[in-house]
Amino acid sequence: MAGAVIDGKAFAEGLRARIAVAAAQFEVHAGRKAGLAVVLVGEDPASQVYVRSKGKQTVECGMASFEHRLSEDTSEHDLLALIEKLNADPAVDGILVQLPLPGHIDEQNVIATISPDKDVDGFHVVNSGRLSVGLPGFVPCTPLGCLMLLKDKLGSLSGLDAVVIGRSNIVGKPMAQLLLAESCTVTVAHSRTKDLPEVVRRADIVVAAVGRAEMVKGEWIKPGATVIDVGINRLPPLEASPKGRLVGDVDYASAIQVAGAITPVPGGVGPMTIAVLLRNTLVAAHRNAGVDFDESSL
Ligand code: NAD
């Protein structure tokens, strides 16, 4: 029997609806809207699309969106000065600098300048430190979205064997920390891992964050395992799909035959990322304004 499809699009819609209710309550208590500032440097078309949909969804959830579009030749000095201004602005609860940045700007300097209490992307070293020692902070949006889908599907994750494929700072590593905090036994696999199929075969939970189209095959999956596919890969154009089909890191057709549940691409992890960004912003707003809030209610 084929596995269940984990509908990230529907889950993200539900999350945004809960955020909208809580954002309206925040406005009553704080006397202002929660606010997200998004900074885009340059004209990268994909980044422009992301920034536009972040702004739109922020406003739809009843929060304030502040967009700062800077030219490609903006100096690092000027960008850091803008971030300092946003750090000091009480109307801004979250700051997101769209990556990648132009080559002449040092991304690490930029991330380090964002106040950790407004770092809703969770990329600041203070927030990765907080995550690894179990203090409240901000967790990168994509892995937190994956965890929400897993807990929604499985309830307690305690004692389960989890394999995370990929060790990037924005997905693989924070994902592994989150699963460890849920008492999973976690293996992090990467490009140098020996016999990856055998490693994956042990897992009750597989999170694939590699960036290689359909790499993880159904025969690698333990029957009944839950599979979270973070990958977004565009295949070369074909006559049937002139723009090129979007696929994940998992070979969906074979994996769904074996898995207990699996996220599709598109419509799985992808829609969760912006919804979790809005969640993090609303959490930041409550913390910054000193308004009590049950963060687990989202
Ligand atoms: P990355 O390139 O920074 O990291 C990829 C990781 O995969 C590396 O740690 C590398 O060791 C590992 N890897 C590479 N080849 C491998 C192999 N053959 N076997 C095992 N491991 C291998 O990528 P990332 O930023 O973590 O993103 C991973 C994927 O997730 C990409 O497809 C990206 O587009 C997607 N992504 C999606 C979202 C979303 O919103 N859904 C967000 C971020 C990233």
Side-chain angles (χ1 to χ4, degrees):
M1 197 178 70
V5 179
I6 299 176
D7 187 344
K9 190 162 174 265
F11 190 95
E13 269 166 27
L15 176 57
R16 285 200 304 272
R18 295 194 292 282
I19 292 168
V21 172
Q25 284 163 357
F26 174 81
E27 192 175 347
V28 171
H29 286 117
R32 66 172 180 87
K33 286 183 193 290
L36 173 66
V38 179
V39 181
L40 173 63
V41 184
E43 312 281 324
D44 180 66
S47 294
Q48 287 184 333
V49 172
Y50 291 138
V51 165
R52 208 174 307 125
S53 59
K54 283 169 186 168
K56 184 166 166 276
Q57 293 188 32
T58 304
V59 171
E60 281 168 4
C61 281
M63 300 195 273
S65 167
F66 309 101
E67 271 182 40
H68 296 267
R69 289 168 183 268
L70 308 181
S71 67
E72 181 83 26
D73 59 0
T74 299
S75 68
E76 184 174 314
H77 177 272
D78 287 353
L79 177 58
L80 298 186
L82 170 63
I83 293 172
E84 295 287 11
K85 218 172 99 193
L86 297 172
N87 282 341
D89 185 344
V92 172
D93 295 295
I95 302 169
L96 180 147
V97 178
Q98 186 66 43
L99 302 178
L101 289 165
H104 64 279
I105 298 178
D106 182 334
E107 280 184 9
Q108 284 308 320
N109 280 348
V110 171
I111 293 168
T113 304
I114 298 172
S115 160
D117 297 329
K118 297 191 176 186
D119 168 40
V120 285
D121 250 344
F123 294 166
H124 195 292
V125 287
V126 166
N127 281 317
S128 31
R130 286 169 172 164
L131 174 62
S132 79
V133 297
L135 288 172
F138 292 105
V139 177
C141 302
T142 301
L144 184 54
C146 295
L147 185 75
M148 286 179 174
L149 294 177
L150 281 167
K151 287 174 78 170
D152 183 60
K153 188 73 208 164
L154 297 173
S156 169
L157 309 184
S158 180
L160 297 179
D161 285 319
V163 169
V164 178
I165 318 174
R167 56 174 161 181
S168 71
N169 290 336
I170 62 167
V171 189
K173 281 185 205 157
M175 188 74 242
Q177 292 284 1
L178 286 168
L179 292 165
L180 193 56
E182 295 295 326
S183 302
C184 291
T185 304
V186 183
T187 303
V188 182
H190 46 78
S191 52
R192 304 289 175 89
T193 296
K194 283 183 281 178
D195 201 355
L196 185 60
E198 202 45 48
V199 172
V200 172
R201 222 166 263 135
R202 293 202 294 265
D204 304 304
I205 294 171
V206 181
V207 180
V210 187
R212 288 179 179 244
E214 301 176 321
M215 184 188 83
V216 177
K217 308 297 179 202
E219 67 206 42
W220 300 12
I221 308 286
K222 174 169 147 179
T226 305
V227 179
I228 304 289
D229 190 352
V230 183
I232 303 175
N233 310 288
R234 196 173 282 284
L235 294 180
L238 290 172
E239 212 176 308
S241 53
K243 277 168 85 184
R245 209 160 50 87
L246 277 188
V247 296
D249 292 340
V250 178
D251 177 21
Y252 186 80
S254 64
I256 196 168
Q257 301 304 324
V258 191
I262 182 169
T263 56
V265 177
V269 174
M272 291 297 290
T273 300
I274 296 181
V276 175
L277 172 70
L278 303 179
R279 179 248 173 228
N280 282 357
T281 302
L282 191 59
V283 165
H286 285 85
R287 291 181 190 167
N288 294 341
V291 174
D292 272 347
F293 181 54
D294 175 8
E295 294 175 7
S296 66
S297 67
L298 294 176

